[in-house]
Amino acid sequence: MHNAAPSAATTEPAAAASPTWHLFVPKTITVLRQGYRFTDLRADLIAGLTVAIVALPLAMALAIASGTTPEKGLVTAVVGGFLASLLGGARFNISGPTGAFVVVVFGVIEKYGYDGLVAATLMAAAMLVAAGLFRLGTWIKYIPEPVVTGFTAGIAVIIFSSQVRDLVGLEIAKLPGGVAGQWQTYWAARDTLSVSAVLLSAACLVVILGLRRVAPRLPGFLIAVVGAAAATALLGLPVETIGSRFGTVSGAIPPPSLPHVPLDRLGDLLSPAFTIAFLGGLESLLCAVVADGMTGRRHRSNCELVAQGVANAGSALVGGLPVTGAIARTATAIRAGARSPLTGIFHALFLLVAMQVAMPLARHIPLAALAAVLVVVAWNMSEQDRVRHILHTAPVGERLVLLATFGLTVLVDLTTAIEVGVVLSAILFMHGMAEAVSLSRDGAQIVARDIDDFTRPPDDRAIQIDALPPGVEAFKLSGPLFFGSAGRLADVMDLSPGRPRAFILRMREVPFIDTSGVAALEAFVRRNRLRGTTVIVTGVQPQPLAVMRRMGLTETTPGFVLARDFKEAIAIAQGGAPPA
């Protein structure tokens, strides 16, 4: 195949590439190198205090919803939030426990105990670090939106369902993990409903939603929780509190320790570990994308994955929960004037101070108030507008993916939901790409679907190119030639009458080929060679050409010829020299 002369642009020396390690320099160092002024420090301190006030009740509420104690949520926000901001590749991400992890954490603790959760989180941390070092951060953007929307809405439903007990004060010793089992238990315990808990949680919801409407800059979550705690202590309300269920909340961060998990159980923890890693990476990078959109900055995804891996390892070693970027807290920090990753560091330090000073008073916080906080979190997570939009406007296949992912998240488990959602999306994509691949002859489309003999054209030669020399056939292949569409080449031989001496396959409109496509092309060449036909391929693009040569399908392959264009292919088919 004749190659064109290199252009002037390709002969210029390329700029020296930056060392790979530059991609993993934390944004904290970048900010300090660019110059960090006192005004930046003051803005980050104010933003850090603001987001710490928001994170304080949320961290405790999320930990309780996850089936553990409230101080573990605070430890997670302090240690994980500090490390993620210190080492991260996103300028504004605020990390800590989030609603996305509630379902996974609750299930792992219920099945494997807390040590099992710590081991799974450490395994997930290693996966995140490896994903970042192998520069897989950009791959996460290929997760289809219906899958993300489906499992996020499903998690919202599960969080709401898990909070009904505390929201209305039902007396239930142990709550089942599944949504169906929870509602059966609620119904059985309906006679134990507490009017005080209902009124208290309703008042908290009114305060949170009312402040969000009339004074959105005020910390509605904290105001509602503090007010509910004061009312409970002063009025002696008969509702369950943190103190009555968990005792005194510790303000200390435990020393690092490794979990006690038998080695033969580590294989069982691979699936939840992968789910934690997937959610941690996805949520953090989505959070960074949202922050970039709000500020005009750009994050480094692989550096962020490494930082999240380190943060998860640090959190797990001190008995914390999985960590990821929190979109709502990040947006709060940006609106409060955050300038750099030091906002996240200050947020963690302010939380540490709060743990030392305010935790003895946390025993008065009613669980009904924290349940109200999580109901609002679940509503925000549900993205009902986005769900409604997809269900009304998206193609049928994508609607089914969303519904399947949502249903499996609620009724089965998150890991299964993600796996099924991604596989269904991949099948739909492959089907769409396969449908986009077409064969044509003389401008007429050759349908690849099954057609019966009554509707088949009586004479296939009617769509043959008239200008072709005798004994030469030509077809044009359009679209990506991959494993979902490789069968199209078999149609070419079926549609070719007789045994031509040359077969021209025009591939200028094939932008991509994979190993299955090359294997199909090799089989096509081999079958034609056995019947004495030479295959001449024209206009091969760089990516298909590189894959073909790497797999051994080259100009030296018997019965196979590469031509620059259709004119050259005609000359070769006629037995003459290719035109200059």
Side-chain angles (χ1 to χ4, degrees), residues 197-507:
V198 172
L199 293 176
L200 193 62
S201 59
C204 288
L205 287 172
V206 169
V207 170
I208 294 169
L209 299 178
L211 287 176
R212 180 169 294 183
R213 179 176 292 273
V214 301
R217 299 183 69 88
L218 293 179
F221 286 158
L222 187 64
I223 290 173
V225 169
V226 171
T232 301
L234 295 175
L235 302 177
L237 297 178
V239 295
E240 193 172 15
T241 64
I242 286 179
S244 64
R245 182 178 294 183
F246 302 104
T248 303
V249 180
S250 172
I253 295 179
S257 62
L258 292 173
H260 302 286
V261 177
L263 292 177
D264 58 354
R265 299 299 302 274
L266 294 181
D268 298 333
L269 293 171
L270 273 175
S271 179
F274 173 79
T275 303
I276 292 171
F278 174 81
L279 283 179
L282 179 64
E283 287 284 313
S284 293
L285 297 187
L286 284 176
C287 182
V289 169
V290 171
D292 288 351
M294 295 177 68
T295 62
R297 299 285 186 171
R298 291 189 63 183
H299 71 281
R300 292 196 299 273
S301 56
N302 295 300
C303 180
E304 181 64 19
L305 287 183
V306 171
Q308 290 296 331
V310 175
N312 273 278
S315 176
L317 289 174
V318 295
L321 305 174
V323 179
T324 187
I327 295 176
R329 274 161 271 174
T330 298
T332 299
I334 293 172
R335 294 191 190 103
R339 302 280 181 88
S340 76
L342 271 72
T343 295
I345 294 174
F346 293 145
H347 132 272
L349 295 178
F350 281 127
L351 284 176
L352 180 61
V353 172
M355 286 180 65
Q356 307 301 316
V357 175
M359 281 309 98
L361 303 175
R363 67 180 187 274
H364 299 296
I365 297 176
L367 297 180
L370 294 179
V373 168
L374 286 182
V375 166
V376 176
V377 170
W379 177 258
N380 293 338
M381 282 185 66
S382 66
E383 294 188 282
Q384 68 281 357
D385 292 337
R386 190 63 194 155
V387 172
R388 192 180 304 114
H389 178 72
I390 292 176
L391 291 179
H392 280 86
T393 62
V396 174
E398 295 189 15
R399 299 183 210 176
L400 292 176
V401 169
L402 187 153
L403 293 174
T405 307
F406 172 81
L408 289 171
T409 300
V410 173
L411 300 176
V412 184
D413 61 69
L414 186 58
T415 303
T416 303
I418 293 172
E419 291 171 349
V420 172
V422 171
V423 170
L424 283 177
S425 298
I427 291 173
L428 287 172
F429 172 79
M430 288 184 293
H431 174 73
M433 289 296 96
E435 289 295 300
V437 176
S438 63
L439 285 167
S440 60
R441 181 165 53 177
D442 198 20
Q445 191 75 21
I446 299 173
V447 181
R449 302 182 185 89
D450 289 343
I451 56 176
D452 58 67
D453 291 331
F454 296 99
T455 56
R456 186 184 300 276
D459 183 8
D460 281 336
R461 295 190 63 83
I463 56 173
Q464 187 176 353
I465 299 176
D466 296 332
L468 287 175
V472 177
E473 291 285 340
F475 284 82
K476 183 171 73 173
L477 189 62
S478 301
L481 186 59
F482 67 114
F483 62 90
S485 60
R488 293 290 193 269
L489 285 174
D491 297 333
V492 174
M493 292 193 70
D494 294 337
L495 292 166
S496 177
R499 295 191 176 190
R501 55 186 172 82
F503 206 114
I504 299 174
L505 189 62
R506 307 175 72 176
M507 291 183 57

Side-chain angles (χ1 to χ4, degrees), residues 71-91:
E71 65 262 27
K72 292 190 182 301
L74 293 170
V75 166
T76 304
V78 171
V79 176
F82 178 87
L83 291 174
S85 293
L86 179 67
L87 304 174
R91 185 180 287 257

